Amino acid sequence: MSDETPICSAKGCRAAAVWVLAWNNPKLHTPERRKTWLACDEHRQHLSEFLGVRGFLKDVVTLDEWERDSAADG
């Protein structure tokens, strides 16, 4: 991970990311694969709903939790 502050994935948003939305498109990805979007507090619900309506959303965790879990796996 770089020294840059991760930012929200919402279009045009430059706020610091607080949340990780883990998702997967079952038509394209194996079941265990997780793609991620980052979200600030303001956009977490909107991005979650966008992925959820499509059946893609798998998990929503804090960025800190995601980074801790990734470090433990790595």
Side-chain angles (χ1 to χ4, degrees):
M1 185 154 206
S2 73
D3 291 337
E4 294 180 29
T5 301
I7 61 165
C8 180
S9 297
K11 185 175 182 177
C13 185
R14 303 300 296 164
V18 179
W19 300 96
V20 174
L21 288 67
W23 62 277
N24 148 323
N25 180 341
K27 292 182 180 178
L28 302 176
H29 307 120
T30 59
E32 65 279 352
R33 172 111 188 251
R34 292 295 179 266
K35 304 278 285 177
T36 57
W37 281 356
L38 302 177
C40 63
D41 281 329
E42 180 181 348
H43 292 111
R44 180 184 75 133
Q45 183 174 347
H46 171 74
L47 293 173
S48 294
E49 289 173 359
F50 180 89
L51 292 168
V53 166
R54 290 156 179 79
F56 295 174
L57 187 62
K58 302 301 179 192
D59 201 8
V60 178
V61 297
T62 65
L63 180 58
D64 288 340
E65 184 178 350
W66 184 267
E67 289 176 339
R68 270 195 312 271
D69 290 348
S70 294
D73 291 342

